[in-house]
Amino acid sequence: MKNNTLMRIDVITGFPQLLRSPLSASIIRQAKKKKLVSIRIHDLRKYTHDKHKTIDDTPYGGGAGMVLKPEPIFECIETLQEKRNYDEVIYVTADGEKFNQKIANQLSMKTNLIFLCGHYKGIDHRVREKLITKEISIGDYVLTGGELAALVIIDALVRLIPGVLGDSESMLTDSFQGDLLDCPSYTKPAEYRGMKVPEVLLSGDHKSIEKWRYEQRVRHTNDRRKSLLL
Ligand code: ADE
């Protein structure tokens, strides 16, 4: 059968259980069902050859923490690369390039991506030198591993794949698209505990509504993220 899935994502981890549930719910689940994306989780322990399925070891030179061994990672990535070409082999790490909407947009246009999740003290540096094409951090703080960061990045990019969101408009007006934060949203009732929905939104005048929304986005951005306007 022809595989017409738009994007394929392979995630490599020593802790697959951290990824399974978030990748099988909500929008991502629907995107998978619609065959817009296929996401495979690979357990590093399956690429070990010893009885204890060892994926980490102590660092050369001493010091605290464990380092993920190169062999299982090399074998896993090479097995995948034998089957197809990958646009990027991404290592999620606190010292990578800071993730943002622009990177999400770029990644959402790719066909095949690999995400490698580090754990403990990180991964053997030879993996980074030889196999990794891009390193991404989700912020200036340290997580126990790359799994949650990979989930954040995958979530942000999958929702940008055409057809994933039912109302394609909603992603074009997201915060950060067009370098502006999003405007306030309201739903029924029109008045709740004395708090009223802005009159213009009830007016049915689409031009005025659009103008109001744009002004709100500029004001909101100016208040919270002035740097986006510069
Ligand atoms: N692994 C540990 N901390 C991280 C971060 N902030 N971003 C991406 N991967 C990480």
Side-chain angles (χ1 to χ4, degrees):
M1 204 171 79
K2 189 172 168 280
N3 178 3
N4 55 3
T5 299
L6 276 185
M7 184 191 284
R8 178 184 167 113
I9 298 174
D10 293 274
V11 194
I12 303 169
T13 173
F15 300 87
Q17 65 274 32
L18 284 175
L19 296 164
R20 282 198 192 105
S21 156
L23 293 176
S24 358
S26 185
I27 305 274
I28 293 186
R29 176 194 161 93
Q30 285 169 32
K32 283 169 29 179
K33 253 172 115 175
K34 287 193 228 165
K35 299 218 179 306
L36 296 171
V37 66
S38 143
I39 306 178
R40 310 289 164 99
I41 301 168
H42 304 276
D43 185 349
L44 264 185
R45 286 184 176 81
K46 292 217 173 110
Y47 294 85
T48 57
H49 303 288
D50 63 312
K51 193 168 90 202
H52 302 290
K53 302 190 187 303
T54 313
I55 58 169
D56 60 339
D57 210 331
T58 51
Y60 273 122
M66 299 290 271
V67 177
L68 287 180
K69 290 163 68 59
E71 307 96 307
I73 301 176
F74 265 84
E75 285 184 33
C76 181
I77 291 179
E78 283 171 357
T79 303
L80 291 171
Q81 285 177 328
E82 274 166 23
K83 298 197 180 108
R84 66 195 66 79
N85 287 323
Y86 284 88
D87 299 291
E88 300 282 6
V89 181
I90 300 164
Y91 175 45
V92 273
T93 174
D95 61 352
E97 180 185 1
K98 188 97 68 78
F99 188 58
N100 58 26
Q101 192 64 40
K102 189 172 154 211
I103 300 175
N105 288 340
Q106 287 165 354
L107 292 179
S108 74
M109 289 183 267
K110 305 293 186 192
T111 308
N112 296 315
L113 294 174
I114 290 177
F115 284 88
L116 171 64
C117 306
H119 226 87
Y120 316 112
K121 197 81 194 127
I123 60 174
D124 187 285
H125 201 69
R126 288 164 289 190
V127 174
R128 297 172 78 161
E129 285 179 334
K130 202 76 187 170
L131 298 175
I132 299 301
T133 62
K134 201 173 187 59
E135 302 194 333
I136 304 181
S137 162
I138 61 161
D140 290 342
Y141 41 84
V142 181
L143 304 165
T144 54
E147 286 78 7
L148 296 181
L151 287 172
V152 166
I153 298 166
I154 291 167
D155 187 278
L157 76 90
V158 166
R159 65 189 289 287
L160 296 171
I161 298 171
V164 167
L165 293 184
D167 176 6
S168 60
E169 280 287 291
S170 74
M171 115 196 153
L172 295 175
T173 58
D174 279 345
S175 282
F176 304 111
Q177 300 287 14
D179 286 337
L180 289 176
L181 299 182
D182 204 356
C183 62
S185 301
Y186 297 88
T187 185
K188 296 176 195 73
E191 184 173 339
Y192 181 65
R193 297 191 178 183
M195 296 177 284
K196 289 188 176 146
V197 171
E199 204 64 46
V200 62
L201 296 178
L202 312 174
S203 68
D205 176 349
H206 294 294
K207 258 213 157 107
S208 303
I209 293 173
E210 218 167 278
K211 182 166 172 279
W212 179 86
R213 284 187 168 150
Y214 180 73
E215 286 163 1
Q216 291 294 315
R217 294 182 75 197
V218 173
R219 182 195 286 185
H220 196 50
T221 310
N222 192 48
D223 290 347
R224 296 189 174 203
R225 296 286 177 84
K226 232 189 191 84
S227 62
L228 288 174
L229 296 173
L230 301 176

